[in-house]
């Protein structure tokens, strides 16, 4: 349990929030949402003690242990992978180190013996004899192979370190758990494992995430930071989004009587509750809507970008044909081979692989930026493409301002350029920024504005939700659902895939798995699981 009393945080003259009084209880997972800069991560830092609030206090239950997903991936470079995870349970780790030091003493005496006996007793109470095997299992579940557990942390890639730090945070069943963007750099299979793991916890969990499906799958309560306040209400992200949109529509309809509004809101809660009760998502087990009331529903102050893709030309029947395509990584790893497919008009196809480099290689090849190691591809003569690459670094090696930068990629005057940028929430003063100082999220919004100017009938998107906030992801997602052209994309966002894709092509070193079905059906189909295992295991 975590109790927050009269918390206030401000930086200079900017007040994030004040008079925050909350109680986070065991058995609940609290999804923290808010616009960029609202103070989501700051709230976690204040609760963890790494940030001193301007006012107020944070307390946990007597004897309770707090664990935090740390962001410093170099902090444990001098330790082994397994030891880093064990340090997640600090009392156990300190016990192990003290016992080890005492047993190593050349002049071990009676007093040492008494102390060792005390430590051994506490060690057993903390299930210390199973600690190393538990740490190994946690690492394996998070995709760190057995032969890496004894390696030093400085031997791991950044992606691998992220997984080890997550294992460290989860290890030892902490009473209170704080997770800031835990799904970053995780593949879809590992995210699914994490969803299931968290949903079965009875501890108190607070999580910040831009992954909507993840929030929906694990959250029993939503912590909304808006209007300079921090409010907790029952329900997951989807309920918050749909209810806030409903409340906004009602607020805009001034003629609607109060009683009609109340009935509409009550009907919305009833329908949403019924849908959740039938859902296979883990939130249904938590009865997350038990305490919902109409007064909790209100419009949000969030601003959603205007992401609108329009086609200048109707595509013909020939879209894209790929024949026997192959790509090999620099280290000799076969990313994919014997890839054959034909994209039909209007299809929205997601590409998957155990190796994320495979999708990037495919997109770079069909965009003419990389040569295939074998095979060929052919676009239809009516097809125009707009490409959102995974790495946009080269686009922003410039000291141009936003207007001049965007003008490079399309026809139009300054007013029109500002209009495109305004849709992406760049205000008047923002457009004079130099593009080389933009944040990751701002760069992505610029790249999306660039794409919109092309009026293409085929969109190619390599992990499009990277660096975007929830509002931008939601707006992006909504527009793609209604887009009439073709979409070829890769993503780690479950909800994005499920709502956009109607075809799935998985790239393997030994061919493709190609299915016309929804993503949820694909990942749970036992026959497909067996097929995938064979395709990846072939030599």
């Amino acid at each position: 349990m975590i109790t927050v009393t009269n918390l206030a945080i401000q930086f200079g003259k900017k007040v994030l929030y004040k008079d925050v009084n909350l109680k986070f209880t065991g058995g609940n997972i609290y999804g923290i949402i808010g616009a960029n800069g609202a103070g989501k991560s700051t709230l976690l830092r204040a609760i963890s003690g790494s940030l001193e609030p301007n006012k107020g206090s944070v307390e946990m239950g007597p004897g309770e242990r707090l664990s935090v997903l740390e962001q410093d991936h170099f902090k444990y470079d001098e330790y082994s992978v397994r030891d880093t995870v064990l340090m997640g349970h600090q009392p156990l780790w300190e016990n192990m180190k003290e016992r080890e030091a005492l047993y190593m003493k050349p002049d071990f005496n009676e007093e040492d013996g008494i102390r060792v006996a005390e430590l051994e007793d506490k060690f057993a109470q903390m299930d210390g004899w199973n600690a190393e095997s538990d740490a190994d299992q946690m690492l394996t579940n998070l995709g760190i192979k057995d032969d890496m557990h004894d390696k030093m942390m400085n031997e791991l890639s950044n992606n691998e370190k992220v997984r080890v730090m997550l294992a460290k945070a989860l290890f030892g069943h902490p009473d209170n758990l704080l997770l800031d963007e835990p799904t970053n750099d995780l593949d879809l299979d590992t995210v699914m494992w994490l969803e299931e793991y968290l949903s079965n916890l009875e501890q108190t969990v607070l999580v910040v995430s831009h992954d909507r499906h993840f929030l929906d799958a694990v959250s029993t309560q939503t912590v909304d930071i808006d209007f300079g306040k921090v409010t907790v209400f029952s329900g997951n992200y989807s309920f918050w989004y749909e209810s806030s949109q409903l409340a906004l529509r009602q607020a805009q309809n001034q003629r609607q009587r109060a009683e009609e509004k109340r009935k509409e809101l009550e009907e919305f809660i009833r329908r949403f509750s019924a849908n959740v009760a039938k859902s296979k998502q883990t939130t249904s087990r938590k009865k997350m809507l038990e305490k919902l009331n109409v007064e909790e529903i209100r419009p949000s102050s969030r601003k959603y970008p205007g992401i609108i893709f329009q086609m200048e030309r109707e595509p013909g029947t020939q879209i894209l044909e790929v024949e026997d395509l192959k790509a090999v990584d620099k280290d000799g790893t076969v990313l994919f081979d014997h890839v054959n497919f034909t994209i039909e008009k209007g299809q929205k196809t997601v590409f998957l692989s155990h190796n994320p480099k495979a999708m990037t290689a495919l997109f770079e090849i069909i965009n003419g930026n990389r040569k295939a190691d074998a095979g060929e591809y052919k676009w239809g003569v009516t097809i125009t493409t707009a490409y959102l690459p995974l790495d946009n670094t080269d686009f922003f090696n410039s000291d141009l301002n936003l207007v001049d930068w965007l003008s490079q990629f399309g026809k139009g005057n300054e007013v029109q350029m500002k209009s495109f940028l305004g849709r992406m929430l760049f205000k008047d003063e923002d457009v004079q920024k130099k593009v080389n100082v933009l944040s990751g999220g701002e760069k992505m919004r610029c790249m999306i504005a660039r794409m919109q100017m092309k009026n293409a009938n085929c969109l190619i998107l390599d992990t499009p939700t990277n660096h975007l906030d929830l509002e931008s992801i939601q707006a992006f997602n909504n527009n793609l659902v209604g887009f009439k052209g073709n979409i070829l994309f890769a993503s780690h966002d479950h909800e994005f895939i499920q709502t956009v894709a109607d075809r799935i092509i998985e790239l393997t070193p030994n061919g493709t798995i190609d299915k016309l079905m929804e993503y949820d059906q694909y990942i749970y189909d036992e026959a497909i699981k067996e097929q995938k295992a064979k395709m990846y295991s072939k030599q």
Side-chain angles (χ1 to χ4, degrees), residues 246-525:
L246 172 60
L248 179 61
R249 291 193 297 272
Q250 288 192 337
Q252 292 169 342
N253 185 359
Q254 299 296 329
R255 293 176 298 176
Q256 189 175 13
R257 291 182 300 178
E259 184 58 29
E260 291 176 348
K261 288 184 178 181
R262 185 175 184 87
K263 287 181 178 179
E264 186 177 9
L265 292 170
E266 288 176 340
E267 172 62 16
F268 169 75
I269 290 175
R270 187 192 66 76
R271 286 189 289 104
F272 193 91
S273 301
N275 289 340
V276 170
K278 296 176 183 177
S279 173
K280 292 183 179 179
Q281 291 180 353
T282 54
T283 45
S284 63
R285 294 185 235 145
K286 301 286 188 177
K287 300 180 181 179
M288 66 178 186
L289 301 174
E290 283 180 347
K291 299 180 181 180
L292 272 178
N293 61 71
V294 171
E295 283 70 26
E296 290 181 331
I297 300 177
R298 61 177 183 169
S300 167
S301 68
R302 311 285 208 285
K303 300 294 183 184
Y304 292 82
I307 300 177
I308 305 171
F309 291 106
Q310 296 176 322
M311 299 186 298
E312 186 172 15
R313 180 180 186 180
E314 180 74 19
T317 56
Q318 292 184 326
I319 310 298
L320 173 65
E321 294 181 5
V322 170
E323 185 176 347
D324 214 24
L325 214 60
K326 178 180 181 179
V328 180
D329 203 6
K330 293 178 182 179
D331 64 1
T333 302
V334 177
L335 298 175
F336 56 77
D337 198 0
H338 308 300
V339 171
N340 296 276
F341 61 82
T342 299
I343 299 296
E344 304 293 338
K345 184 176 179 178
Q347 283 184 340
K348 300 175 181 178
T349 306
V350 63
F351 292 86
L352 308 176
S353 177
H354 285 181
N355 190 337
K357 291 182 179 180
M359 288 85 78
T360 296
L362 175 68
F363 295 151
E364 287 289 294
I365 289 169
I366 64 176
N367 276 281
N369 300 331
R370 172 175 175 165
K371 187 176 180 180
D373 291 281
E376 56 187 23
Y377 65 93
K378 182 180 180 181
W379 288 101
V381 294
T382 63
I383 303 306
T384 55
T385 63
Y387 179 36
L388 185 67
L390 179 65
D391 183 3
N392 59 36
T393 305
D394 290 343
F395 287 89
F396 296 96
N397 290 331
S398 165
D399 60 358
L400 294 174
N401 65 39
L402 268 64
V403 173
D404 292 340
W405 179 88
L406 191 59
S407 298
Q408 301 174 101
F409 306 110
K411 298 177 181 179
N413 57 35
E414 182 176 338
V415 173
Q416 290 170 313
M417 295 300 112
K418 286 183 176 180
S419 176
F420 276 108
L421 291 167
R423 284 191 216 165
M424 299 308 297
L425 306 182
F426 289 107
K427 300 176 183 177
D428 292 340
E429 61 272 19
D430 294 331
V431 301
Q432 298 305 320
K433 278 185 178 180
K434 305 295 186 184
V435 295
N436 54 13
V437 300
L438 297 178
S439 68
E442 289 172 327
K443 288 178 180 177
M444 281 295 288
R445 284 189 278 130
C446 282
M447 293 295 289
I448 295 169
R450 171 182 172 271
M451 288 186 71
Q452 291 179 85
M453 292 174 60
K454 300 193 74 171
N455 294 322
N457 52 32
C458 182
L459 308 180
I460 304 170
L461 311 169
D462 193 350
T463 323
T465 59
N466 270 10
H467 303 294
L468 293 180
D469 57 25
L470 277 169
E471 292 70 47
S472 298
I473 293 171
Q474 191 74 58
F476 206 165
N477 197 161
N478 289 350
N479 185 254
L480 293 184
V481 169
F483 182 66
K484 300 301 182 183
N486 286 91
I487 302 174
L488 312 178
F489 72 105
S491 178
H492 295 308
D493 187 314
H494 187 124
E495 186 73 10
F496 207 88
I497 299 172
Q498 173 64 17
T499 53
V500 174
D502 54 26
R503 182 178 179 183
I504 297 168
I505 297 178
E506 183 148 0
L507 307 171
T508 83
N510 303 287
T512 60
I513 303 170
D514 191 343
K515 301 292 181 181
L516 289 169
M517 60 173 58
E518 289 188 342
Y519 180 63
D520 279 346
Q521 182 183 356
Y522 182 84
I523 59 177
Y524 292 114
D525 189 291

Side-chain angles (χ1 to χ4, degrees), residues 64-341:
E64 289 188 348
R65 189 166 62 87
L66 175 71
S67 186
V68 180
L69 175 57
E70 297 179 84
Q71 305 298 322
D72 184 353
H73 301 151
F74 302 98
K75 183 176 179 180
Y76 300 94
D77 274 0
E78 302 306 312
Y79 294 91
S80 73
V81 170
R82 184 184 294 107
D83 282 352
T84 299
V85 176
L86 291 171
M87 279 188 274
H89 193 325
Q90 198 60 31
L92 176 63
W93 176 253
E94 291 172 357
N95 181 297
M96 294 171 70
K97 292 293 102 180
E98 186 177 355
R99 284 167 61 251
E100 182 181 314
L102 286 171
Y103 281 129
M104 294 290 289
K105 284 183 66 175
D107 56 345
F108 190 89
N109 56 37
E110 183 178 352
E111 185 178 340
D112 294 330
I114 294 172
R115 178 57 180 161
V116 164
E118 293 173 352
L119 291 170
E120 291 285 6
D121 183 55
K122 291 180 180 178
F123 184 73
Q125 291 177 24
M126 291 185 285
D127 199 25
W129 297 113
N130 294 317
E132 291 194 1
S133 61
D134 289 346
D136 286 342
Q137 186 61 56
M138 183 70 72
L139 286 164
T140 300
N141 289 337
L142 287 169
I144 302 298
K145 296 179 180 179
D146 294 353
D147 60 2
M148 300 177 67
H149 298 182
D150 291 311
K151 286 187 175 182
M152 302 300 290
M153 285 288 285
N154 59 15
E155 299 180 67
L156 271 58
S157 67
N158 190 61
N159 180 282
E160 292 163 342
K161 286 182 178 180
V162 167
R163 294 166 184 256
V164 176
M165 299 305 285
L166 181 55
K168 176 180 179 291
L170 300 176
F171 177 71
H173 307 290
D175 303 287
N176 302 290
L177 180 60
L178 309 182
L179 302 174
D180 193 351
E181 298 292 354
T183 63
N184 279 1
D185 294 315
L186 298 185
D187 60 83
L188 288 162
D189 289 338
T190 307
V191 172
M192 288 175 60
W193 175 86
L194 182 60
E195 289 173 357
E196 184 64 25
Y197 179 86
L198 292 177
S199 69
N200 290 316
L201 290 181
E202 292 302 324
Q203 287 80 11
T204 304
V205 182
L206 278 66
V207 58
V208 172
S209 178
H210 288 156
D211 187 325
R212 296 160 300 159
H213 184 273
F214 178 75
L215 285 176
D216 279 351
V218 303
S219 297
T220 61
Q221 312 281 320
T222 296
V223 181
D224 183 28
I225 303 178
D226 202 0
F227 303 104
K229 297 181 179 179
V230 184
T231 308
V232 179
F233 60 85
S234 299
N236 59 18
Y237 173 78
S238 285
F239 179 83
W240 171 85
Y241 175 74
E242 293 179 31
S243 61
S244 67
Q245 293 297 298
L246 172 60
L248 179 61
R249 291 193 297 272
Q250 288 192 337
Q252 292 169 342
N253 185 359
Q254 299 296 329
R255 293 176 298 176
Q256 189 175 13
R257 291 182 300 178
E259 184 58 29
E260 291 176 348
K261 288 184 178 181
R262 185 175 184 87
K263 287 181 178 179
E264 186 177 9
L265 292 170
E266 288 176 340
E267 172 62 16
F268 169 75
I269 290 175
R270 187 192 66 76
R271 286 189 289 104
F272 193 91
S273 301
N275 289 340
V276 170
K278 296 176 183 177
S279 173
K280 292 183 179 179
Q281 291 180 353
T282 54
T283 45
S284 63
R285 294 185 235 145
K286 301 286 188 177
K287 300 180 181 179
M288 66 178 186
L289 301 174
E290 283 180 347
K291 299 180 181 180
L292 272 178
N293 61 71
V294 171
E295 283 70 26
E296 290 181 331
I297 300 177
R298 61 177 183 169
S300 167
S301 68
R302 311 285 208 285
K303 300 294 183 184
Y304 292 82
I307 300 177
I308 305 171
F309 291 106
Q310 296 176 322
M311 299 186 298
E312 186 172 15
R313 180 180 186 180
E314 180 74 19
T317 56
Q318 292 184 326
I319 310 298
L320 173 65
E321 294 181 5
V322 170
E323 185 176 347
D324 214 24
L325 214 60
K326 178 180 181 179
V328 180
D329 203 6
K330 293 178 182 179
D331 64 1
T333 302
V334 177
L335 298 175
F336 56 77
D337 198 0
H338 308 300
V339 171
N340 296 276
F341 61 82

Side-chain angles (χ1 to χ4, degrees), residues 17-35:
Y17 28 75
K18 60 183 180 178
D19 301 323
V20 177
N21 293 278
L22 303 169
K23 182 175 285 187
F24 302 108
T25 58
N28 283 304
I29 299 178
Y30 298 85
I32 302 175
I33 63 172

